[in-house]
């Protein structure tokens, strides 16, 4: 995984729906690595992964979205970390819009995540908050 953006996809027993999510992530207009976090599923999610080197899967045995998201954070290597769930279908420009919103934020500067004792720090330098400038692209839920 080498992209500046890592998308962590939390999934629990979603073998039927995750393929549409992963296809939508594969079609993103901005480059991103995709990490599927299998959250103690009883279904085998591995066959849903496309044969694409940008995709990887890890398993989190502690059931709960918080545990799965933390597992994704622990594996984050890019400057930007995005989250979605296996039953969502992000629009093609979702990551591009998010990256652009971060770039446009007043006083913000993209930087690699800081690691301190296993904790991941903010990928944005401190600056004024301007939530009005951040457009939130829609995500379709299945």
């Amino acid at each position: 995984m080498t992209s500046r953006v890592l998308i962590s996809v939390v999934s629990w027993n979603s073998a039927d729906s995750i393929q549409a999510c992963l296809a939508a992530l594969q079609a993103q207009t901005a480059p991103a690595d995709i990490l599927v976090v299998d959250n103690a599923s009883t279904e085998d999610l591995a066959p849903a992964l496309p044969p694409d080197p940008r995709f990887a899967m890890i398993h989190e045995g502690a059931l709960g979205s918080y545990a799965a998201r933390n597992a994704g954070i622990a594996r984050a290597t890019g400057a930007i970390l995005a989250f979605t769930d296996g039953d969502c279908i992000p629009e093609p420009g979702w990551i591009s819009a998010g990256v652009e919103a971060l770039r446009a934020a007043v006083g913000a500067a993209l930087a690699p995540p800081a690691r301190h004792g296993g904790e991941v720090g903010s990928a944005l330098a401190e600056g004024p908050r301007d939530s009005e400038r951040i457009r939130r692209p829609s995500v379709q839920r299945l």
Side-chain angles (χ1 to χ4, degrees):
M1 298 193 149
T2 59
S3 178
R4 288 180 15 149
V5 178
L6 175 71
I7 304 169
S8 179
V9 182
V10 174
S11 185
W12 177 75
N13 286 342
S14 62
D16 292 338
S17 62
I18 195 169
Q19 288 181 344
C21 175
L22 298 181
L25 293 174
Q26 196 170 26
Q28 289 297 301
T29 57
D33 291 324
I34 294 91
L35 178 65
V36 175
V37 182
D38 178 354
N39 190 214
S41 294
T42 57
E43 301 174 351
D44 184 9
L45 303 180
L49 260 65
D52 183 326
R54 297 176 300 153
F55 287 77
M57 180 181 287
I58 62 171
H59 300 276
E60 172 52 52
L63 189 58
S65 61
Y66 66 92
R69 291 194 200 295
N70 285 336
I73 290 169
R75 290 282 303 267
T77 56
I80 300 169
L81 177 60
F83 292 96
T84 192
D85 292 324
D87 61 350
C88 294
I89 303 175
E91 292 183 6
W94 176 58
I95 289 300
S96 295
V99 169
E100 188 54 40
L102 290 172
R103 283 193 183 128
V106 179
L110 295 178
R115 295 189 181 269
H116 305 285
E119 295 179 16
V120 179
S122 174
L124 289 178
E126 287 300 314
R129 307 251 188 259
D130 189 2
S131 60
E132 294 301 314
R133 295 182 54 161
I134 299 175
R135 292 179 287 142
R136 289 174 175 71
S138 65
V139 174
Q140 176 187 358
R141 276 219 175 267
L142 292 176

